Structure formats: structure tokens, C-alpha cells
Amino acid sequence: MELLLTNKKIIKNSLDIPKQELKDFLDSKVIQYNTLEFIDSDPIQIPHQFETKEDIEIAGFLTATIAWGNRKSIINNANKMMQLMGFAPYEFVLHHSEKDLSRLDSFVHRTFNGEDFKNFIKNLRRIYSNYGSLENVFKNFSNTHGLQTGIHHFKKVFFEDQENSRSTKHISDPLKNSAAKRINMFLRWMVRKDEIGVDFGKWESISTSQLSCPLDVHSGNVARKLGLLKRKQNDAKALAELDDALRNFDPNDPVKYDFALFGLGVFEKF
């Protein structure tokens, strides 16, 4: 079908555009931005340095954890994380010594510091020792309605007996009305089956249909301009509203539209 919309027409008439025409527009933007070239400017390039599931999981999780602020800074500091772990994240998590952990003291990305980094590594070792993978924790608490309850329970498991740790703030809780942008982005990376090869699709036990869009200032602003989102705050209620709209376009792969919303917001200044 010939694409009938332009960005200019969308902005002017977003509330009056037929659903199918808006879907066609967003589908075209998914095709435009869901490409291997996307990796070069995105934090997802960090886990793409690795081949095994465990290395990809850990590199992706740590990268997503610090994924706020300037994208160049995120990528540089995530690379620094990998360097401090000898570019062998799974090996480091399982077999680190106290001396190894001391190397992490100097790390800092905004409010995520060396203490947080060490705490995350220790908790990851407990997770892999007790559950075998991050995937196994999420699948135990996921349901057909989505992964937001699973994120809540994952946080409880990850910070077991550490409710007062300063590090708990670095994993958001959807049940406390957070949009949980970073952890939803990590889940997109791990779960989404992407024929192009941007997302990894390593987690077979969770369906792509359960994923939620990583809602941030860029995707939120674009979604509002397109009439997909009315709520002004980027919180859990807004995420549920956006999820409903995107699932109407593609119930099997709703989170693919993250590429469209993000690309329109960041690259096109929509």
C-alpha cells in the first residue's frame, strides 16, 4: 500500500487520521529504523559484543540499568563496565573475588556508582546460582497480560533482604506507578524475535506479545502527538494506555513500534 502520510500531515491532523493510515505510517517507520544501522548509535551495541546467552543477558541488563541521560555517555560508561569485567561478564559474575570487585569502586554513571555496581554483581551471582538465568526469574512471575507484574517480582528477588540498599532505586517498580523504561527496554532486547537482528530473541519462555514499549520523554511526546496517548505523565498508567494502542496495531509484536516512536522523536525531532 502506498504510504499516504507525511510527518507534517501527521502533526496537523493526528487526531483525525484513520487507524489503518496511522498504522501504515508507523509500520513504515519501523522498517526505516529497525535496521542493523540502528545498533551503531544505540546502547544495544554493548550486548552485541557478545555471543553467549549469559554474556548477552548480563551485558544487556547492566547497560539498560544505566541507560538514562546522554546516549554517548551511556555507551561509553557501559563499555567501561565491560572493560572492568575483562569483557567476560558471565565469568566475572560467577567467579569474581573481593579483589576483583575493588576494581569497580571508581565506576560512576550519574547516580549509579561503584557501590551499586558491586551490589549488582553480587546479586547477579546469587541469581545465576539459584535460578540459572535472568530469564528464569522473569518467566516464574510473568503472565499473559504483560510483564509489569513480573518486573515487580524480579526486583523483589534481585534485592532479596536488601530493601534498604541504596541500589534498589536503580530498578523501577511498575506497581509503584513507574513506567520502568529501562527494564522494559532490556526485556525488548532479550525477548523480541527480530528477523533483522537488532533485538536478540534469546528468551524463548516469554512471548513478544507480553512486552511493553520503553516509555520515555521521546516516545511519550511522539505518542501524544499521534493521539496514541492522552495521559501527560510518563508513568505506569500512561504505559498501559500506550500498550493498548500499540497492541491494537499489532497484538503479536506491539513493542516493534518503539523503533518508530523513538526514531521519530530522536532522529527526526518529530
Side-chain angles (χ1 to χ4, degrees), residues 55-67:
D55 282 334
I56 291 169
E57 271 189 348
I58 294 168
F61 177 66
L62 291 174
T63 299
T65 297
I66 66 165

Side-chain angles (χ1 to χ4, degrees), residues 1 32 40 49 62 76 84 134 137 153 170 174 196 212 244:
M1 179 183 293
Q32 181 178 346
D40 295 337
Q49 297 176 21
L62 291 174
N76 287 340
L84 289 167
L134 291 173
V137 182
H153 286 289
H170 293 297
I196 302 298
S212 292
D244 287 343

Side-chain angles (χ1 to χ4, degrees), residues 6-74:
T6 64
N7 288 2
K8 191 173 182 180
K9 181 179 177 183
I10 281 280
I11 293 172
K12 186 176 180 180
N13 303 306
S14 60
L15 297 180
D16 301 320
I17 291 170
K19 174 184 173 181
Q20 185 60 49
E21 199 170 351
L22 180 56
K23 180 183 186 304
D24 291 343
F25 174 74
L26 290 173
D27 285 340
S28 74
K29 292 300 177 180
V30 173
I31 293 170
Q32 181 178 346
Y33 291 113
N34 186 190
T35 66
L36 292 179
E37 288 74 19
F38 180 86
I39 297 171
D40 295 337
S41 62
D42 193 80
I44 200 174
Q45 66 181 260
I46 306 301
H48 268 287
Q49 297 176 21
F50 303 98
E51 295 183 359
T52 67
K53 175 184 175 180
E54 293 79 9
D55 282 334
I56 291 169
E57 271 189 348
I58 294 168
F61 177 66
L62 291 174
T63 299
T65 297
I66 66 165
W68 83 101
N70 179 274
R71 296 174 81 213
K72 184 177 180 181
S73 177
I74 294 166

Side-chain angles (χ1 to χ4, degrees), residues 160-207:
E160 189 176 70
D161 300 324
Q162 296 178 344
E163 292 84 358
N164 297 321
S165 168
R166 61 159 274 127
S167 301
T168 59
K169 66 183 179 181
H170 293 297
I171 298 179
S172 299
D173 187 346
L175 299 194
K176 293 185 177 179
N177 204 31
S178 171
K181 174 254 182 177
R182 289 172 282 163
I183 198 75
N184 277 309
M185 181 177 70
F186 167 69
L187 290 169
R188 193 205 86 200
W189 294 353
M190 294 298 105
V191 174
R192 184 171 177 266
K193 309 298 186 293
D194 183 2
E195 295 179 0
I196 302 298
V198 179
D199 294 322
F200 294 95
K202 291 290 185 180
W203 290 8
E204 299 289 341
S205 63
I206 298 173
S207 170

Side-chain angles (χ1 to χ4, degrees), residues 3 17 24 58 72 85 87 132 139 145 158-159 183 208 263:
L3 184 64
I17 291 170
D24 291 343
I58 294 168
K72 184 177 180 181
M85 294 187 291
F87 292 98
K139 77 176 183 181
H145 300 294
F158 191 78
F159 291 114
I183 198 75
T208 304

Side-chain angles (χ1 to χ4, degrees), residues 130-171:
N130 293 342
Y131 295 89
S133 71
L134 291 173
E135 177 183 8
N136 288 337
V137 182
F138 277 97
K139 77 176 183 181
N140 287 343
F141 299 107
S142 300
N143 58 58
T144 56
H145 300 294
L147 288 165
Q148 302 313 294
T149 300
I151 293 173
H152 166 78
H153 286 289
F154 169 77
K155 179 173 183 175
K156 291 180 66 175
V157 171
F158 191 78
F159 291 114
E160 189 176 70
D161 300 324
Q162 296 178 344
E163 292 84 358
N164 297 321
S165 168
R166 61 159 274 127
S167 301
T168 59
K169 66 183 179 181
H170 293 297
I171 298 179

